């Protein structure tokens, strides 16, 4: 395809780019490609209104509208965060708060290890012998903060 043919079919080309980016967003969700698709759709409309728009101007417009669309989308998601039924889904440490655990290595001078499920985690809290039952009250830098049950 020559540059002249691409310029003549620019609205269709940019519309196809927009559709492909939207389809890619559906295939690989990441809430990013959709904004580039919006930018391509805007450039498609611009090339329809201005059919003699040079390729460099089209690419520049696409770059500019991509930045604008991403910034608007970013602001939108900051102002209207997506609600979830399980906000701690990917935060295993935070999910442990409130759990009862067993001291694996005695907690001495505020440091020890506790058994969580089939693994052990570093813990801090009041001194406790091995086998004591403790409750996780928080997590700080990967260290479980515990208190006696």
């Amino acid at each position: 395809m020559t540059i002249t043919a691409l310029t003549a079919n620019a609205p269709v080309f940019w519309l196809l780019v927009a559709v492909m980016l939207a389809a890619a967003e559906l295939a690989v969700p990441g809430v990013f490609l959709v904004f580039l698709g919006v930018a391509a759709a805007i450039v498609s409309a611009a090339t329809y209104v201005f059919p003699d728009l040079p390729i460099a101007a089209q690419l520049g417009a696409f770059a500019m509208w991509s930045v604008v669309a991403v910034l608007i989308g970013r602001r939108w998601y900051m102002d209207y965060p997506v609600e979830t039924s399980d906000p701690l889904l990917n935060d295993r440490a935070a999910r442990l708060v409130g759990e009862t655990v067993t001291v694996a290595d005695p907690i001495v001078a505020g440091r020890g290890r506790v058994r969580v499920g089939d693994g052990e985690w570093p813990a801090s809290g009041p001194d406790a012998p091995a086998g004591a039952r403790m409750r996780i009250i928080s997590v700080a830098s990967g260290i479980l903060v515990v208190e006696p049950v």
Side-chain angles (χ1 to χ4, degrees):
M1 180 178 281
T2 65
I3 291 179
T4 307
L6 183 59
T7 304
N9 296 320
V12 174
F13 170 77
W14 285 108
L15 191 58
L16 287 174
V17 169
V19 169
M20 288 189 315
L21 287 167
E25 176 69 28
L26 291 174
V28 184
V31 191
F32 183 80
L33 294 176
V34 69
F35 300 120
L36 300 181
V38 167
I42 291 170
V43 174
S44 175
T47 56
Y48 182 76
V49 173
F50 304 108
D52 294 332
L53 198 62
I55 298 283
Q58 293 175 30
L59 292 174
F62 177 68
M64 180 199 67
W65 282 112
S66 293
V67 170
V68 169
V70 167
L71 290 175
I72 289 171
R74 183 173 183 227
R75 178 61 188 234
W76 176 269
Y77 282 114
M78 288 175 71
D79 290 345
Y80 304 100
V82 176
E83 299 286 329
T84 177
S85 61
D86 191 0
L88 301 176
L89 178 64
N90 294 318
D91 191 354
R92 178 160 185 230
R95 291 179 81 115
L96 295 175
V97 173
E99 294 287 321
T100 302
V101 294
T102 305
V103 176
D105 292 338
I107 300 176
V108 178
R111 296 284 189 200
R113 294 186 70 77
V114 295
R115 180 163 293 283
V116 179
D118 61 352
E120 291 184 5
W121 287 57
S124 68
D127 291 353
R133 307 280 293 161
M134 305 290 272
R135 176 174 291 114
I136 301 170
I137 57 173
S138 68
V139 181
S141 301
I143 298 173
L144 303 179
V145 180
V146 295
E147 67 180 6
V149 174

